[in-house]
Amino acid sequence: MRVALFVTCVNDALYPGTGRAVVTLLDRLGVEVDFPAAQTCCGQPQYNTGYRRETEPLVLRSARAFEGYDYVVTPSGSCAAMVRDNYPRIGAKALAQGRGSELADAAASLAARTFELTEFLVDVLGVTDVGAYFPHTVTYHPSCHGLRMLGLGERPRRLLEAVKGLELRELPGAEECCGFGGTFAVKNPDVSAAMGADKVRNALSTGAGVLCGADNSCLLHLDGTLRRQGAAMRAVHLAEILASTETEVLA
Amino acid sequence: MSGAYLGMPAFPEAAKTSTKNEQLRANLTHATHTIRDKRAAAVGELDDWAQLRQAGKEIKDNTLARLDHYLLQAEAAVQAAGGTVHWATDAAEANRIVADLVHAKGESEVVKVKSMATQEIGLNEALAAEGITAYETDLAELIVQLGDDLPSHILVPAIHKNRGEIRDIFAEAMGRWGRPAPDGLTDRPADLAEAARLHLREKFLRAKVAVSGANFLIAETGTLVVVESEGNGRMCLTLPETLISVVGIEKVIPTWRDLEVFLQLLPRSSTAERMNPYTSTWTGTTDRDGPQEFHLVLLDNGRTATLADEVGRQALRCIRCSACLNVCPVYERAGGHAYGSPYPGPIGAILTPQLRGLQSELEASLPYASTLCGACYEVCPVAIDIPEVLVHLREQVAEQVEGHRVERAAMKAATWLLDHPAALTAAERAATRTRALHPKRLPLPGPAKAWSDTRDLPALPAEPFRDWWKKNRKDGSR
Ligand code: SF4
């Protein structure tokens, strides 16, 4: 089984710890993972802001970077959703506009092999107890793209529930958007900030010490809000919790 | 807030004011959360909801694909039943037709059934300019009209008002519009409803002309359908001598059998009821029973242009249930007025720019008034993929609207960088090396400033992931 890590541009530049955690975790589960250095960004910011044509080179780049791998695993629900839902759309549109079938074929092939981390663990590897240890109270925010576009369902919760020492607290209004939304946070800063503040208030109401998510973009927004408020709660990516063990506490 | 929607500021500007209005946000949050929970329960009762939703989607799509055929069929049926059909290309033409019809009856007042189409064309204002007073008879529309306000929700136009505010509006304004509110009016719902009932009854009994919209127009028999909760619509549709119905051309459905699907989808999605209390249907005129003169105004007003757009046309499936508003986190914070149209929330964000075109900053800002969280698509009873249409419209904005040149240049530069991993790596390393200099709380330059007003930036890591990998893992070293 040839597995590639699609670390995503946000994680590469801002949250490399999440990428290292995925590598550590997959190592422990006996999966040999590779990191094709030709990868960069899935193009989600461009596509979602209305620059579809500008996204096309990145679709091709990703498809080429991950050619030949059986599985492409990413610790980001929204990037996985971009590849799975939007790459085929971009490919089909390019084809309809007469730009050959290369893009469409590449997009379709990559979409079929791309998995969000929790899907890969639960559906492909068939594990829910990954042997993790994390002695904290945790509340989980299921980011919208993971929740609705990928339909991750109970997978992240099942993984968290199997972590030793971890106490999971229900997040009120969990399914509501945190207000990040990529360029939305910049184009509509007031609404975005109001949504972030409400999400953070709900998270704090659980009394948990850690706000967990599987998408560092949402966590960037929420952690930034938490720290501006001087709150004691910290945001941690799910992969870092799953990678954490009694001998090596990662998060 | 008064006057018309047109010329309102772009969404982010309008939302800036409304997000700061604590009372407004509290009213909206309470109302939308209550109804969204009820809707989920009502929908959960039906185990064939997914099939019903699919059926609703397909009926609408198939009808839209042969819209010309069904409209002509409906026209012939209405005429055969004694009605008159008028075709209106735009708002001005529709308003003209209605005003002329009222003048022809020698009247200066009409009673109205709550209707989105007449709000869309600004009928009340147009009639007022012709010396005709239009009385809204739906309770929430009445509150909005008496308060000299604009509706802020499709189904609950006064959703942004609480009981105390409604009491004050009734006490202050009812007298100017007709029968005054009783002395010592309280804010008990029953008292408020009774005051409205007495006030409206006078109007129902006096009016010679009524104006309605329709939820559906059944092509095979030329029958119009209005579903409602209060019975005020039934009064307007049966008591006056003349009835004028203004109906968007996308409201047509082929047969009565198709109606069965929508009479299940609509009430559960909108009011979370298994069945709406009043379903009124009328076909042309009936001798000595109900209105003796019936006019149907078929309204285009941008619908044909919307139909021509392969992706965007799905917005015409909308049955105006407002479920998407009630789950939308952006609507909940910004309020309905920020959308600058009678169609607020997610459906407004895709419908308004399509019906009106990208004519001003407001329309161009609407496709961006969403985080693409997908909650609207999940609840929509006719499966309109609102996020898909939003992104599609953003593409049109980026192409057509001046002022997006800088953004396009930035996107192009980002794409170039991301398509050149060596340059990207160099940029990441440069950022990392200078990370001690990066501000955490100082305002970022340009449009990102507003972001950093309320949030701290993360600390930059010591090295990007790709450098760590190269050092520690490359060539299979473990
Ligand atoms: S878009 Fe869908 S959910 Fe929204 S009002 Fe229309 S039918 Fe209802």
Side-chain angles (χ1 to χ4, degrees):
Chain A
M1 171 159 87
R2 294 198 66 208
V3 178
L5 168 63
F6 169 30
V7 80
T8 82
C9 59
V10 167
N11 291 330
D12 182 19
L14 292 175
Y15 297 102
T18 298
R20 294 197 298 268
V22 176
V23 174
T24 307
L25 174 65
L26 292 181
D27 266 356
R28 202 168 73 219
L29 296 171
V31 178
E32 202 170 315
V33 62
D34 196 9
F35 175 78
Q39 64 176 285
T40 57
C41 167
C42 65
Q44 191 182 175
Q46 288 89 335
Y47 181 75
N48 281 353
T49 314
Y51 298 88
R52 178 175 47 84
R53 280 299 293 267
E54 280 74 2
T55 316
E56 289 182 6
L58 300 178
V59 175
L60 262 186
R61 160 163 294 282
S62 299
R64 288 198 186 122
F66 296 115
E67 219 164 341
Y69 290 94
D70 302 315
Y71 297 100
V72 179
V73 180
T74 181
S76 162
S78 69
C79 303
M82 173 71 189
V83 173
R84 280 238 294 267
D85 277 24
N86 293 331
Y87 273 28
R89 273 183 187 157
I90 295 166
K93 205 131 193 206
L95 197 59
Q97 292 175 346
R99 285 197 296 288
S101 59
E102 192 196 357
L103 194 74
D105 292 345
S109 157
L110 181 58
R113 292 175 287 125
T114 299
F115 288 79
E116 188 273 341
L117 177 65
T118 68
E119 290 176 318
F120 184 71
L121 295 173
V122 176
D123 300 354
V124 179
L125 299 184
V127 289
T128 45
D129 185 347
V130 297
Y133 172 74
F134 192 75
H136 300 284
T137 47
V138 174
T139 190
Y140 178 73
H141 167 59
S143 296
C144 302
H145 289 171
L147 186 72
R148 299 199 183 85
M149 288 174 86
L150 295 179
L152 294 184
E154 290 295 295
R155 292 178 188 86
R157 289 176 50 103
R158 282 168 59 201
L159 288 158
L160 281 171
E161 277 163 4
V163 173
K164 258 209 296 185
L166 185 149
E167 188 196 327
L168 192 60
R169 301 238 171 114
E170 210 55 53
L171 175 66
E175 73 296 338
E176 284 168 33
C177 178
C178 72
F180 178 65
T183 48
F184 178 81
V186 175
K187 285 185 182 282
N188 285 284
D190 297 283
V191 179
S192 170
M195 289 166 69
D198 288 349
K199 177 63 71 180
V200 157
R201 200 184 49 242
N202 281 339
L204 290 171
S205 78
T206 64
V210 171
L211 173 59
C212 171
D215 233 309
N216 272 332
S217 304
C218 310
L219 294 185
L220 166 95
H221 166 70
L222 295 174
D223 197 45
T225 308
L226 281 167
R227 281 187 297 129
R228 175 59 60 93
Q229 294 181 4
M233 175 178 265
R234 62 201 171 104
V236 180
H237 193 284
L238 176 68
E240 295 172 47
I241 293 178
L242 298 181
S244 202
T245 58
E246 260 160 290
T247 45
E248 202 178 350
V249 179
L250 275 184
Chain B
M1 171 76 52
S2 70
Y5 287 110
L6 283 172
M8 284 182 44
F11 184 83
E13 278 311 302
K16 197 188 199 98
T17 321
S18 48
T19 48
K20 292 205 176 72
N21 184 338
E22 295 292 331
Q23 181 68 59
L24 174 79
R25 270 180 66 188
N27 293 351
L28 277 170
T29 300
H30 174 73
T32 55
H33 282 248
T34 308
I35 185 88
R36 84 168 69 154
D37 293 346
K38 281 195 191 159
R39 185 212 75 97
V43 164
E45 284 182 352
L46 293 185
D47 47 20
D48 62 347
W49 184 258
Q51 288 97 309
L52 272 172
R53 184 182 190 234
Q54 185 62 24
K57 171 183 189 273
E58 284 176 17
I59 293 168
K60 282 280 183 180
D61 274 349
N62 293 336
T63 314
L64 289 168
R66 296 182 64 206
L67 194 59
D68 50 346
H69 165 79
Y70 289 114
L71 284 171
L72 291 174
Q73 190 188 2
E75 178 185 40
V78 169
Q79 284 166 345
T84 309
V85 178
H86 312 257
W87 298 81
T89 312
D90 57 16
E93 194 177 355
N95 289 332
R96 176 84 266 144
I97 293 168
V98 178
D100 287 350
L101 288 170
V102 181
H103 282 318
K105 304 290 351 161
E107 290 297 317
S108 60
E109 291 180 354
V110 298
V111 283
K112 280 189 69 200
V113 186
K114 175 175 165 25
S115 133
M116 297 305 301
T118 60
Q119 275 173 25
E120 175 190 322
I121 60 176
L123 178 67
N124 292 10
E125 295 77 21
L127 290 180
E130 297 269 338
I132 301 164
T133 311
Y135 293 110
E136 293 292 346
T137 65
D138 171 83
L139 179 55
E141 290 289 354
L142 175 70
I143 295 165
V144 168
Q145 185 171 52
L146 293 175
D148 195 17
D149 198 349
L150 286 169
S152 131
H153 189 280
I154 292 179
L155 192 82
V156 201
I159 193 169
H160 55 301
K161 299 284 183 204
N162 63 25
R163 283 193 275 141
E165 291 169 306
I166 293 167
R167 192 213 76 91
D168 294 344
I169 291 170
F170 277 10
E172 196 271 322
M174 264 185 178
R176 275 186 279 123
W177 285 83
R179 182 182 173 127
D183 289 337
L185 179 65
T186 74
D187 67 357
R188 280 182 44 217
D191 289 351
L192 294 174
E194 180 62 10
R197 202 178 70 85
L198 293 172
H199 177 82
L200 289 171
R201 184 141 301 235
E202 285 189 356
K203 303 208 162 83
F204 291 136
L205 295 175
R206 197 175 62 213
K208 298 275 186 292
V209 181
V211 175
S212 84
N215 294 95
F216 305 99
L217 163 58
I218 303 168
E220 64 179 347
T221 52
T223 303
L224 288 103
V225 184
V226 157
V227 297
E228 45 140 358
S229 298
E230 296 168 11
N232 60 307
R234 178 74 55 88
M235 303 283 269
C236 294
L237 296 167
T238 49
L239 288 173
E241 291 162 7
T242 300
L243 174 59
I244 307 168
S245 301
V246 182
V247 180
I249 53 173
E250 84 284 16
K251 294 283 166 197
V252 69
I253 54 173
T255 67
W256 279 84
R257 239 188 106 149
D258 300 316
L259 183 66
E260 177 245 335
V261 172
F262 297 106
L263 288 185
Q264 295 182 72
L265 288 173
L266 184 52
R268 284 182 200 256
S269 299
S270 57
T271 48
E273 290 167 309
R274 292 176 179 143
M275 196 181 165
N276 49 281
Y278 295 85
T279 302
S280 303
T281 67
W282 66 102
T283 311
T285 54
T286 307
D287 198 22
R288 281 177 298 167
D289 184 17
Q292 293 304 293
E293 198 176 319
F294 171 62
H295 296 271
L296 170 62
V297 182
L298 285 169
L299 177 71
D300 186 324
N301 207 33
R303 286 160 175 77
T304 304
T306 305
L307 192 59
D309 186 309
E310 251 175 75
V311 178
R313 68 168 64 126
Q314 55 186 305
L316 297 178
R317 295 206 295 259
C318 177
I319 55 174
R320 313 276 190 263
C321 72
S322 72
C324 58
L325 278 63
N326 297 327
V327 296
C328 178
V330 175
Y331 172 85
E332 183 185 335
R333 272 82 184 183
H337 293 150
Y339 294 81
S341 154
Y343 305 111
I347 182 62
I350 62 169
L351 198 57
T352 306
Q354 294 201 88
L355 292 182
R356 288 191 200 152
L358 300 170
Q359 55 169 6
S360 76
E361 258 186 72
L362 170 68
E363 288 79 19
S365 73
L366 288 175
Y368 295 96
S370 165
T371 64
L372 307 179
C373 80
C376 48
Y377 178 32
E378 195 174 59
V379 297
C380 178
V382 286
I384 301 173
D385 191 341
I386 296 176
E388 181 191 18
V389 182
L390 286 167
V391 171
H392 174 73
L393 293 174
R394 288 175 187 188
E395 205 179 315
Q396 293 177 9
V397 173
E399 268 165 21
Q400 292 167 26
V401 178
E402 266 311 289
H404 281 255
R405 270 205 307 262
V406 178
E407 187 176 271
R408 179 172 291 281
M411 288 295 176
K412 276 214 163 104
T415 302
W416 183 87
L417 191 66
L418 293 165
D419 204 17
H420 292 79
L424 176 69
T425 307
E428 279 178 1
R429 285 194 193 135
T432 299
R433 266 200 304 275
T434 57
R435 73 190 210 275
L437 306 173
H438 289 208
K440 257 190 211 140
R441 292 190 76 146
L442 293 177
L444 289 170
K449 181 193 167 301
W451 197 92
S452 57
D453 276 351
T454 55
R455 288 152 282 205
D456 278 359
L457 296 169
L460 274 180
E463 62 179 356
F465 177 82
R466 61 180 67 238
D467 282 3
W468 173 85
W469 176 272
K470 209 163 164 188
K471 260 192 246 159
N472 297 285
R473 300 294 302 233
K474 217 189 167 187
D475 308 324
S477 62
R478 345 184 89 206

